PDB file of all heavy atoms in Angstrom:
ATOM      1  N   LEU D  21       5.605   4.007  17.522  1.00 52.00           N
ATOM      2  CA  LEU D  21       4.407   3.267  17.529  1.00 52.00           C
ATOM      3  C   LEU D  21       3.987   2.802  16.148  1.00 52.00           C
ATOM      4  O   LEU D  21       4.236   3.494  15.202  1.00 52.00           O
ATOM      5  CB  LEU D  21       3.293   4.080  18.169  1.00 52.00           C
ATOM      6  CG  LEU D  21       3.424   4.566  19.581  1.00 52.00           C
ATOM      7  CD1 LEU D  21       2.347   5.486  20.021  1.00 52.00           C
ATOM      8  CD2 LEU D  21       3.527   3.381  20.592  1.00 52.00           C
ATOM      9  N   PRO D  22       3.411   1.626  16.031  1.00 61.00           N
ATOM     10  CA  PRO D  22       2.974   1.162  14.705  1.00 61.00           C
ATOM     11  C   PRO D  22       1.909   2.175  14.187  1.00 61.00           C
ATOM     12  O   PRO D  22       0.998   2.554  14.926  1.00 61.00           O
ATOM     13  CB  PRO D  22       2.348  -0.181  14.956  1.00 61.00           C
ATOM     14  CG  PRO D  22       2.243  -0.436  16.321  1.00 61.00           C
ATOM     15  CD  PRO D  22       3.088   0.629  17.025  1.00 61.00           C
ATOM     16  N   PRO D  23       2.043   2.599  12.950  1.00 61.00           N
ATOM     17  CA  PRO D  23       1.010   3.506  12.345  1.00 61.00           C
ATOM     18  C   PRO D  23      -0.334   2.868  12.262  1.00 61.00           C
ATOM     19  O   PRO D  23      -0.433   1.616  12.199  1.00 61.00           O
ATOM     20  CB  PRO D  23       1.604   3.754  10.942  1.00 61.00           C
ATOM     21  CG  PRO D  23       2.505   2.657  10.692  1.00 61.00           C
ATOM     22  CD  PRO D  23       3.023   2.211  11.945  1.00 61.00           C
ATOM     23  N   LYS D  24      -1.354   3.666  12.292  1.00 67.00           N
ATOM     24  CA  LYS D  24      -2.745   3.124  12.249  1.00 67.00           C
ATOM     25  C   LYS D  24      -3.474   3.902  11.124  1.00 67.00           C
ATOM     26  O   LYS D  24      -3.120   4.940  10.684  1.00 67.00           O
ATOM     27  CB  LYS D  24      -3.484   3.492  13.527  1.00 67.00           C
ATOM     28  CG  LYS D  24      -2.888   2.717  14.698  1.00 67.00           C
ATOM     29  CD  LYS D  24      -3.679   3.089  16.010  1.00 67.00           C
ATOM     30  CE  LYS D  24      -3.031   2.408  17.198  1.00 67.00           C
ATOM     31  NZ  LYS D  24      -3.514   2.947  18.379  1.00 67.00           N
ATOM     32  N   GLY D  25      -4.443   3.207  10.579  1.00 73.00           N
ATOM     33  CA  GLY D  25      -5.318   3.736   9.588  1.00 73.00           C
ATOM     34  C   GLY D  25      -4.590   4.247   8.360  1.00 73.00           C
ATOM     35  O   GLY D  25      -3.799   3.558   7.748  1.00 73.00           O
ATOM     36  N   LEU D  26      -4.856   5.534   8.040  1.00 75.00           N
ATOM     37  CA  LEU D  26      -4.238   6.086   6.837  1.00 75.00           C
ATOM     38  C   LEU D  26      -2.765   6.203   6.875  1.00 75.00           C
ATOM     39  O   LEU D  26      -2.087   6.112   5.857  1.00 75.00           O
ATOM     40  CB  LEU D  26      -4.905   7.483   6.669  1.00 75.00           C
ATOM     41  CG  LEU D  26      -4.525   8.241   5.340  1.00 75.00           C
ATOM     42  CD1 LEU D  26      -4.971   7.389   4.144  1.00 75.00           C
ATOM     43  CD2 LEU D  26      -5.246   9.533   5.281  1.00 75.00           C
ATOM     44  N   GLN D  27      -2.162   6.345   8.062  1.00 76.00           N
ATOM     45  CA  GLN D  27      -0.703   6.359   8.179  1.00 76.00           C
ATOM     46  C   GLN D  27      -0.125   5.071   7.694  1.00 76.00           C
ATOM     47  O   GLN D  27       0.916   5.090   7.126  1.00 76.00           O
ATOM     48  CB  GLN D  27      -0.340   6.601   9.707  1.00 76.00           C
ATOM     49  CG  GLN D  27      -0.633   7.922  10.213  1.00 76.00           C
ATOM     50  CD  GLN D  27      -0.347   8.002  11.685  1.00 76.00           C
ATOM     51  OE1 GLN D  27      -0.351   7.018  12.383  1.00 76.00           O
ATOM     52  NE2 GLN D  27      -0.125   9.223  12.159  1.00 76.00           N
ATOM     53  N   TYR D  28      -0.823   4.010   7.933  1.00 79.00           N
ATOM     54  CA  TYR D  28      -0.331   2.726   7.468  1.00 79.00           C
ATOM     55  C   TYR D  28      -0.325   2.585   6.005  1.00 79.00           C
ATOM     56  O   TYR D  28       0.601   2.026   5.314  1.00 79.00           O
ATOM     57  CB  TYR D  28      -1.100   1.510   8.110  1.00 79.00           C
ATOM     58  CG  TYR D  28      -0.519   0.161   7.842  1.00 79.00           C
ATOM     59  CD1 TYR D  28       0.802  -0.057   8.156  1.00 79.00           C
ATOM     60  CD2 TYR D  28      -1.212  -0.774   7.164  1.00 79.00           C
ATOM     61  CE1 TYR D  28       1.414  -1.342   7.947  1.00 79.00           C
ATOM     62  CE2 TYR D  28      -0.673  -2.011   6.945  1.00 79.00           C
ATOM     63  CZ  TYR D  28       0.661  -2.277   7.227  1.00 79.00           C
ATOM     64  OH  TYR D  28       1.203  -3.486   7.035  1.00 79.00           O
ATOM     65  N   LEU D  29      -1.333   3.201   5.258  1.00 80.00           N
ATOM     66  CA  LEU D  29      -1.384   3.165   3.846  1.00 80.00           C
ATOM     67  C   LEU D  29      -0.201   3.978   3.293  1.00 80.00           C
ATOM     68  O   LEU D  29       0.417   3.496   2.369  1.00 80.00           O
ATOM     69  CB  LEU D  29      -2.685   3.735   3.316  1.00 80.00           C
ATOM     70  CG  LEU D  29      -2.771   3.966   1.814  1.00 80.00           C
ATOM     71  CD1 LEU D  29      -2.628   2.649   1.064  1.00 80.00           C
ATOM     72  CD2 LEU D  29      -4.069   4.671   1.452  1.00 80.00           C
ATOM     73  N   VAL D  30       0.087   5.082   3.958  1.00 80.00           N
ATOM     74  CA  VAL D  30       1.246   5.902   3.506  1.00 80.00           C
ATOM     75  C   VAL D  30       2.542   5.105   3.674  1.00 80.00           C
ATOM     76  O   VAL D  30       3.389   5.093   2.813  1.00 80.00           O
ATOM     77  CB  VAL D  30       1.258   7.236   4.294  1.00 80.00           C
ATOM     78  CG1 VAL D  30       2.573   7.995   4.010  1.00 80.00           C
ATOM     79  CG2 VAL D  30       0.075   8.086   3.979  1.00 80.00           C
ATOM     80  N   LEU D  31       2.646   4.387   4.765  1.00 80.00           N
ATOM     81  CA  LEU D  31       3.822   3.580   5.046  1.00 80.00           C
ATOM     82  C   LEU D  31       3.995   2.484   3.942  1.00 80.00           C
ATOM     83  O   LEU D  31       5.084   2.221   3.463  1.00 80.00           O
ATOM     84  CB  LEU D  31       3.798   2.966   6.409  1.00 80.00           C
ATOM     85  CG  LEU D  31       4.934   2.151   6.787  1.00 80.00           C
ATOM     86  CD1 LEU D  31       6.199   2.981   7.018  1.00 80.00           C
ATOM     87  CD2 LEU D  31       4.613   1.339   8.083  1.00 80.00           C
ATOM     88  N   LEU D  32       2.884   1.789   3.698  1.00 82.00           N
ATOM     89  CA  LEU D  32       2.906   0.732   2.677  1.00 82.00           C
ATOM     90  C   LEU D  32       3.299   1.220   1.291  1.00 82.00           C
ATOM     91  O   LEU D  32       4.152   0.654   0.596  1.00 82.00           O
ATOM     92  CB  LEU D  32       1.534   0.009   2.563  1.00 82.00           C
ATOM     93  CG  LEU D  32       1.163  -0.876   3.746  1.00 82.00           C
ATOM     94  CD1 LEU D  32      -0.316  -1.313   3.594  1.00 82.00           C
ATOM     95  CD2 LEU D  32       2.057  -2.063   3.810  1.00 82.00           C
ATOM     96  N   SER D  33       2.704   2.371   0.898  1.00 83.00           N
ATOM     97  CA  SER D  33       2.961   2.996  -0.345  1.00 83.00           C
ATOM     98  C   SER D  33       4.439   3.434  -0.438  1.00 83.00           C
ATOM     99  O   SER D  33       5.189   3.262  -1.425  1.00 83.00           O
ATOM    100  CB  SER D  33       2.104   4.147  -0.614  1.00 83.00           C
ATOM    101  OG  SER D  33       2.310   4.767  -1.874  1.00 83.00           O
ATOM    102  N   HIS D  34       4.948   4.008   0.678  1.00 80.00           N
ATOM    103  CA  HIS D  34       6.298   4.467   0.689  1.00 80.00           C
ATOM    104  C   HIS D  34       7.260   3.245   0.567  1.00 80.00           C
ATOM    105  O   HIS D  34       8.258   3.313  -0.171  1.00 80.00           O
ATOM    106  CB  HIS D  34       6.600   5.250   2.011  1.00 80.00           C
ATOM    107  CG  HIS D  34       7.998   5.627   2.171  1.00 80.00           C
ATOM    108  ND1 HIS D  34       8.524   6.658   1.410  1.00 80.00           N
ATOM    109  CD2 HIS D  34       8.990   5.237   2.929  1.00 80.00           C
ATOM    110  CE1 HIS D  34       9.812   6.787   1.732  1.00 80.00           C
ATOM    111  NE2 HIS D  34      10.104   5.936   2.662  1.00 80.00           N
ATOM    112  N   ALA D  35       7.006   2.230   1.360  1.00 82.00           N
ATOM    113  CA  ALA D  35       7.834   1.004   1.260  1.00 82.00           C
ATOM    114  C   ALA D  35       7.883   0.412  -0.142  1.00 82.00           C
ATOM    115  O   ALA D  35       8.963   0.025  -0.625  1.00 82.00           O
ATOM    116  CB  ALA D  35       7.369  -0.038   2.261  1.00 82.00           C
ATOM    117  N   HIS D  36       6.746   0.492  -0.804  1.00 82.00           N
ATOM    118  CA  HIS D  36       6.741   0.011  -2.181  1.00 82.00           C
ATOM    119  C   HIS D  36       7.576   0.859  -3.085  1.00 82.00           C
ATOM    120  O   HIS D  36       8.316   0.380  -3.938  1.00 82.00           O
ATOM    121  CB  HIS D  36       5.277  -0.045  -2.697  1.00 82.00           C
ATOM    122  CG  HIS D  36       5.221  -0.480  -4.125  1.00 82.00           C
ATOM    123  ND1 HIS D  36       5.166   0.466  -5.124  1.00 82.00           N
ATOM    124  CD2 HIS D  36       5.160  -1.695  -4.723  1.00 82.00           C
ATOM    125  CE1 HIS D  36       5.116  -0.199  -6.287  1.00 82.00           C
ATOM    126  NE2 HIS D  36       5.084  -1.517  -6.068  1.00 82.00           N
ATOM    127  N   SER D  37       7.504   2.197  -2.909  1.00 82.00           N
ATOM    128  CA  SER D  37       8.209   3.164  -3.793  1.00 82.00           C
ATOM    129  C   SER D  37       9.701   3.034  -3.644  1.00 82.00           C
ATOM    130  O   SER D  37      10.478   3.418  -4.492  1.00 82.00           O
ATOM    131  CB  SER D  37       7.775   4.544  -3.492  1.00 82.00           C
ATOM    132  OG  SER D  37       8.271   5.027  -2.224  1.00 82.00           O
ATOM    133  N   ARG D  38      10.196   2.517  -2.453  1.00 79.00           N
ATOM    134  CA  ARG D  38      11.609   2.375  -2.303  1.00 79.00           C
ATOM    135  C   ARG D  38      12.182   1.164  -2.992  1.00 79.00           C
ATOM    136  O   ARG D  38      13.381   1.084  -3.238  1.00 79.00           O
ATOM    137  CB  ARG D  38      11.920   2.261  -0.766  1.00 79.00           C
ATOM    138  CG  ARG D  38      11.479   3.541  -0.071  1.00 79.00           C
ATOM    139  CD  ARG D  38      12.088   3.654   1.252  1.00 79.00           C
ATOM    140  NE  ARG D  38      13.560   3.883   1.041  1.00 79.00           N
ATOM    141  CZ  ARG D  38      14.369   3.982   2.083  1.00 79.00           C
ATOM    142  NH1 ARG D  38      13.983   3.838   3.291  1.00 79.00           N
ATOM    143  NH2 ARG D  38      15.628   4.220   1.812  1.00 79.00           N
ATOM    144  N   GLU D  39      11.308   0.219  -3.386  1.00 81.00           N
ATOM    145  CA  GLU D  39      11.775  -0.961  -4.124  1.00 81.00           C
ATOM    146  C   GLU D  39      11.328  -1.027  -5.534  1.00 81.00           C
ATOM    147  O   GLU D  39      11.854  -1.795  -6.302  1.00 81.00           O
ATOM    148  CB  GLU D  39      11.257  -2.266  -3.359  1.00 81.00           C
ATOM    149  CG  GLU D  39      11.776  -2.307  -1.917  1.00 81.00           C
ATOM    150  CD  GLU D  39      11.234  -3.588  -1.245  1.00 81.00           C
ATOM    151  OE1 GLU D  39      10.706  -4.479  -1.843  1.00 81.00           O
ATOM    152  OE2 GLU D  39      11.411  -3.608   0.000  1.00 81.00           O
ATOM    153  N   CYS D  40      10.286  -0.271  -5.909  1.00 82.00           N
ATOM    154  CA  CYS D  40       9.774  -0.341  -7.247  1.00 82.00           C
ATOM    155  C   CYS D  40       9.390   1.121  -7.706  1.00 82.00           C
ATOM    156  O   CYS D  40       8.784   1.851  -6.962  1.00 82.00           O
ATOM    157  CB  CYS D  40       8.484  -1.201  -7.239  1.00 82.00           C
ATOM    158  SG  CYS D  40       7.616  -1.338  -8.853  1.00 82.00           S
ATOM    159  N   SER D  41       9.709   1.467  -8.905  1.00 80.00           N
ATOM    160  CA  SER D  41       9.568   2.820  -9.351  1.00 80.00           C
ATOM    161  C   SER D  41       8.054   2.995  -9.911  1.00 80.00           C
ATOM    162  O   SER D  41       7.679   4.097 -10.247  1.00 80.00           O
ATOM    163  CB  SER D  41      10.500   3.178 -10.530  1.00 80.00           C
ATOM    164  OG  SER D  41      10.261   2.300 -11.647  1.00 80.00           O
ATOM    165  N   LEU D  42       7.286   1.935  -9.984  1.00 82.00           N
ATOM    166  CA  LEU D  42       5.946   2.025 -10.493  1.00 82.00           C
ATOM    167  C   LEU D  42       4.960   2.326  -9.386  1.00 82.00           C
ATOM    168  O   LEU D  42       5.104   1.897  -8.303  1.00 82.00           O
ATOM    169  CB  LEU D  42       5.483   0.661 -11.126  1.00 82.00           C
ATOM    170  CG  LEU D  42       6.431   0.206 -12.301  1.00 82.00           C
ATOM    171  CD1 LEU D  42       6.137  -1.239 -12.688  1.00 82.00           C
ATOM    172  CD2 LEU D  42       6.306   1.161 -13.446  1.00 82.00           C
ATOM    173  N   VAL D  43       4.011   3.246  -9.725  1.00 82.00           N
ATOM    174  CA  VAL D  43       3.070   3.737  -8.714  1.00 82.00           C
ATOM    175  C   VAL D  43       1.909   2.699  -8.604  1.00 82.00           C
ATOM    176  O   VAL D  43       1.231   2.350  -9.612  1.00 82.00           O
ATOM    177  CB  VAL D  43       2.533   5.109  -9.074  1.00 82.00           C
ATOM    178  CG1 VAL D  43       1.471   5.591  -8.060  1.00 82.00           C
ATOM    179  CG2 VAL D  43       3.682   6.094  -9.237  1.00 82.00           C
ATOM    180  N   PRO D  44       1.613   2.259  -7.410  1.00 85.00           N
ATOM    181  CA  PRO D  44       0.529   1.328  -7.230  1.00 85.00           C
ATOM    182  C   PRO D  44      -0.828   2.016  -7.354  1.00 85.00           C
ATOM    183  O   PRO D  44      -0.949   3.225  -6.928  1.00 85.00           O
ATOM    184  CB  PRO D  44       0.676   0.798  -5.855  1.00 85.00           C
ATOM    185  CG  PRO D  44       1.523   1.731  -5.098  1.00 85.00           C
ATOM    186  CD  PRO D  44       2.317   2.456  -6.117  1.00 85.00           C
ATOM    187  N   GLY D  45      -1.800   1.370  -7.936  1.00 83.00           N
ATOM    188  CA  GLY D  45      -3.162   1.987  -8.079  1.00 83.00           C
ATOM    189  C   GLY D  45      -4.129   1.136  -7.274  1.00 83.00           C
ATOM    190  O   GLY D  45      -3.866  -0.047  -7.010  1.00 83.00           O
ATOM    191  N   LEU D  46      -5.250   1.736  -7.041  1.00 83.00           N
ATOM    192  CA  LEU D  46      -6.279   0.924  -6.364  1.00 83.00           C
ATOM    193  C   LEU D  46      -6.948  -0.047  -7.324  1.00 83.00           C
ATOM    194  O   LEU D  46      -7.489   0.262  -8.322  1.00 83.00           O
ATOM    195  CB  LEU D  46      -7.367   1.914  -5.864  1.00 83.00           C
ATOM    196  CG  LEU D  46      -8.518   1.265  -5.047  1.00 83.00           C
ATOM    197  CD1 LEU D  46      -8.052   0.702  -3.774  1.00 83.00           C
ATOM    198  CD2 LEU D  46      -9.536   2.457  -4.734  1.00 83.00           C
ATOM    199  N   ARG D  47      -6.797  -1.382  -6.944  1.00 80.00           N
ATOM    200  CA  ARG D  47      -7.410  -2.367  -7.799  1.00 80.00           C
ATOM    201  C   ARG D  47      -8.855  -2.552  -7.315  1.00 80.00           C
ATOM    202  O   ARG D  47      -9.722  -2.929  -8.102  1.00 80.00           O
ATOM    203  CB  ARG D  47      -6.636  -3.713  -7.654  1.00 80.00           C
ATOM    204  CG  ARG D  47      -7.115  -4.781  -8.571  1.00 80.00           C
ATOM    205  CD  ARG D  47      -6.211  -5.926  -8.606  1.00 80.00           C
ATOM    206  NE  ARG D  47      -6.290  -6.661  -7.362  1.00 80.00           N
ATOM    207  CZ  ARG D  47      -5.572  -7.695  -7.014  1.00 80.00           C
ATOM    208  NH1 ARG D  47      -4.534  -8.061  -7.863  1.00 80.00           N
ATOM    209  NH2 ARG D  47      -5.631  -8.354  -5.883  1.00 80.00           N
ATOM    210  N   GLY D  48      -9.169  -2.356  -6.053  1.00 77.00           N
ATOM    211  CA  GLY D  48     -10.503  -2.489  -5.585  1.00 77.00           C
ATOM    212  C   GLY D  48     -10.570  -3.253  -4.310  1.00 77.00           C
ATOM    213  O   GLY D  48      -9.505  -3.714  -3.698  1.00 77.00           O
ATOM    214  N   PRO D  49     -11.751  -3.460  -3.781  1.00 77.00           N
ATOM    215  CA  PRO D  49     -11.917  -4.250  -2.604  1.00 77.00           C
ATOM    216  C   PRO D  49     -11.616  -5.722  -2.836  1.00 77.00           C
ATOM    217  O   PRO D  49     -11.606  -6.163  -4.019  1.00 77.00           O
ATOM    218  CB  PRO D  49     -13.368  -4.055  -2.172  1.00 77.00           C
ATOM    219  CG  PRO D  49     -14.114  -3.663  -3.405  1.00 77.00           C
ATOM    220  CD  PRO D  49     -13.057  -2.977  -4.281  1.00 77.00           C
ATOM    221  N   GLY D  50     -11.257  -6.429  -1.787  1.00 72.00           N
ATOM    222  CA  GLY D  50     -11.075  -7.863  -1.995  1.00 72.00           C
ATOM    223  C   GLY D  50      -9.948  -8.490  -1.321  1.00 72.00           C
ATOM    224  O   GLY D  50      -9.630  -9.654  -1.588  1.00 72.00           O
ATOM    225  N   GLY D  51      -9.228  -7.806  -0.477  1.00 57.00           N
ATOM    226  CA  GLY D  51      -8.171  -8.397   0.292  1.00 57.00           C
ATOM    227  C   GLY D  51      -8.749  -9.416   1.231  1.00 57.00           C
ATOM    228  O   GLY D  51      -9.908  -9.345   1.657  1.00 57.00           O
ATOM    229  N   GLN D  52      -7.957 -10.411   1.625  1.00 64.00           N
ATOM    230  CA  GLN D  52      -8.434 -11.430   2.509  1.00 64.00           C
ATOM    231  C   GLN D  52      -8.864 -10.844   3.878  1.00 64.00           C
ATOM    232  O   GLN D  52      -9.635 -11.419   4.564  1.00 64.00           O
ATOM    233  CB  GLN D  52      -7.469 -12.625   2.720  1.00 64.00           C
ATOM    234  CG  GLN D  52      -6.079 -12.197   3.153  1.00 64.00           C
ATOM    235  CD  GLN D  52      -5.145 -11.958   1.965  1.00 64.00           C
ATOM    236  OE1 GLN D  52      -5.454 -11.296   1.033  1.00 64.00           O
ATOM    237  NE2 GLN D  52      -3.929 -12.541   2.110  1.00 64.00           N
ATOM    238  N   ASP D  53      -8.301  -9.723   4.135  1.00 63.00           N
ATOM    239  CA  ASP D  53      -8.603  -9.082   5.490  1.00 63.00           C
ATOM    240  C   ASP D  53      -9.780  -8.034   5.272  1.00 63.00           C
ATOM    241  O   ASP D  53     -10.066  -7.284   6.238  1.00 63.00           O
ATOM    242  CB  ASP D  53      -7.399  -8.338   6.029  1.00 63.00           C
ATOM    243  CG  ASP D  53      -6.661  -7.543   4.995  1.00 63.00           C
ATOM    244  OD1 ASP D  53      -7.259  -7.278   3.926  1.00 63.00           O
ATOM    245  OD2 ASP D  53      -5.539  -7.137   5.248  1.00 63.00           O
ATOM    246  N   GLY D  54     -10.387  -7.972   4.093  1.00 68.00           N
ATOM    247  CA  GLY D  54     -11.492  -7.066   3.938  1.00 68.00           C
ATOM    248  C   GLY D  54     -11.040  -5.694   3.460  1.00 68.00           C
ATOM    249  O   GLY D  54     -11.919  -4.760   3.410  1.00 68.00           O
ATOM    250  N   GLY D  55      -9.799  -5.471   3.257  1.00 76.00           N
ATOM    251  CA  GLY D  55      -9.338  -4.114   2.853  1.00 76.00           C
ATOM    252  C   GLY D  55      -9.375  -3.944   1.393  1.00 76.00           C
ATOM    253  O   GLY D  55      -9.820  -4.753   0.606  1.00 76.00           O
ATOM    254  N   LEU D  56      -8.783  -2.767   0.982  1.00 82.00           N
ATOM    255  CA  LEU D  56      -8.624  -2.451  -0.404  1.00 82.00           C
ATOM    256  C   LEU D  56      -7.275  -3.063  -0.975  1.00 82.00           C
ATOM    257  O   LEU D  56      -6.340  -3.018  -0.214  1.00 82.00           O
ATOM    258  CB  LEU D  56      -8.575  -0.952  -0.605  1.00 82.00           C
ATOM    259  CG  LEU D  56      -9.860  -0.235  -0.176  1.00 82.00           C
ATOM    260  CD1 LEU D  56      -9.643   1.299  -0.176  1.00 82.00           C
ATOM    261  CD2 LEU D  56     -11.016  -0.592  -1.096  1.00 82.00           C
ATOM    262  N   VAL D  57      -7.284  -3.503  -2.119  1.00 85.00           N
ATOM    263  CA  VAL D  57      -6.106  -4.070  -2.703  1.00 85.00           C
ATOM    264  C   VAL D  57      -5.456  -3.015  -3.644  1.00 85.00           C
ATOM    265  O   VAL D  57      -6.148  -2.489  -4.527  1.00 85.00           O
ATOM    266  CB  VAL D  57      -6.368  -5.393  -3.491  1.00 85.00           C
ATOM    267  CG1 VAL D  57      -5.133  -5.894  -4.148  1.00 85.00           C
ATOM    268  CG2 VAL D  57      -6.994  -6.382  -2.560  1.00 85.00           C
ATOM    269  N   TRP D  58      -4.159  -2.741  -3.436  1.00 82.00           N
ATOM    270  CA  TRP D  58      -3.381  -1.851  -4.274  1.00 82.00           C
ATOM    271  C   TRP D  58      -2.440  -2.659  -5.069  1.00 82.00           C
ATOM    272  O   TRP D  58      -1.842  -3.657  -4.542  1.00 82.00           O
ATOM    273  CB  TRP D  58      -2.622  -0.901  -3.394  1.00 82.00           C
ATOM    274  CG  TRP D  58      -3.516   0.041  -2.614  1.00 82.00           C
ATOM    275  CD1 TRP D  58      -4.285  -0.369  -1.500  1.00 82.00           C
ATOM    276  CD2 TRP D  58      -3.936   1.353  -2.876  1.00 82.00           C
ATOM    277  NE1 TRP D  58      -5.015   0.731  -1.057  1.00 82.00           N
ATOM    278  CE2 TRP D  58      -4.847   1.726  -1.831  1.00 82.00           C
ATOM    279  CE3 TRP D  58      -3.551   2.247  -3.833  1.00 82.00           C
ATOM    280  CZ2 TRP D  58      -5.345   3.024  -1.832  1.00 82.00           C
ATOM    281  CZ3 TRP D  58      -4.117   3.508  -3.820  1.00 82.00           C
ATOM    282  CH2 TRP D  58      -5.009   3.904  -2.780  1.00 82.00           C
ATOM    283  N   GLU D  59      -2.193  -2.302  -6.364  1.00 86.00           N
ATOM    284  CA  GLU D  59      -1.324  -3.095  -7.188  1.00 86.00           C
ATOM    285  C   GLU D  59      -0.626  -2.168  -8.215  1.00 86.00           C
ATOM    286  O   GLU D  59      -1.203  -1.258  -8.789  1.00 86.00           O
ATOM    287  CB  GLU D  59      -2.156  -4.190  -7.962  1.00 86.00           C
ATOM    288  CG  GLU D  59      -1.291  -5.016  -8.836  1.00 86.00           C
ATOM    289  CD  GLU D  59      -2.110  -6.115  -9.500  1.00 86.00           C
ATOM    290  OE1 GLU D  59      -3.383  -5.963  -9.578  1.00 86.00           O
ATOM    291  OE2 GLU D  59      -1.425  -7.085  -9.978  1.00 86.00           O
ATOM    292  N   CYS D  60       0.627  -2.417  -8.405  1.00 85.00           N
ATOM    293  CA  CYS D  60       1.347  -1.631  -9.550  1.00 85.00           C
ATOM    294  C   CYS D  60       1.360  -2.547 -10.761  1.00 85.00           C
ATOM    295  O   CYS D  60       0.997  -3.739 -10.729  1.00 85.00           O
ATOM    296  CB  CYS D  60       2.766  -1.285  -9.040  1.00 85.00           C
ATOM    297  SG  CYS D  60       3.902  -2.651  -9.109  1.00 85.00           S
ATOM    298  N   SER D  61       1.773  -1.914 -11.883  1.00 84.00           N
ATOM    299  CA  SER D  61       1.745  -2.708 -13.109  1.00 84.00           C
ATOM    300  C   SER D  61       2.725  -3.841 -13.133  1.00 84.00           C
ATOM    301  O   SER D  61       2.715  -4.745 -14.024  1.00 84.00           O
ATOM    302  CB  SER D  61       1.913  -1.780 -14.299  1.00 84.00           C
ATOM    303  OG  SER D  61       3.110  -1.060 -14.179  1.00 84.00           O
ATOM    304  N   ALA D  62       3.686  -3.890 -12.204  1.00 84.00           N
ATOM    305  CA  ALA D  62       4.652  -5.021 -12.105  1.00 84.00           C
ATOM    306  C   ALA D  62       4.022  -6.180 -11.316  1.00 84.00           C
ATOM    307  O   ALA D  62       4.645  -7.235 -11.207  1.00 84.00           O
ATOM    308  CB  ALA D  62       5.936  -4.525 -11.422  1.00 84.00           C
TER     309      ALA D  62
END
């Protein structure tokens, strides 16, 4: 089943870590969907 809530954040972070060695940090609120935006230094 598609993950929900916090499980989805874990999935997004994991997917990022498989392609980029840099750890994303919380940039703050402001996503177009009203969520929190996470960004790595790349």
Side-chain angles (χ1 to χ4, degrees):
L21 298 172
K24 296 178 183 170
L26 188 55
Q27 292 174 335
Y28 188 57
L29 174 61
V30 172
L31 182 70
L32 288 171
S33 181
H34 177 73
H36 177 266
S37 72
R38 298 197 69 183
E39 297 180 16
C40 178
S41 63
L42 302 171
V43 178
L46 181 62
R47 186 170 71 188
Q52 56 266 48
D53 48 13
L56 298 170
V57 177
W58 296 77
E59 180 177 19
C60 74
S61 55

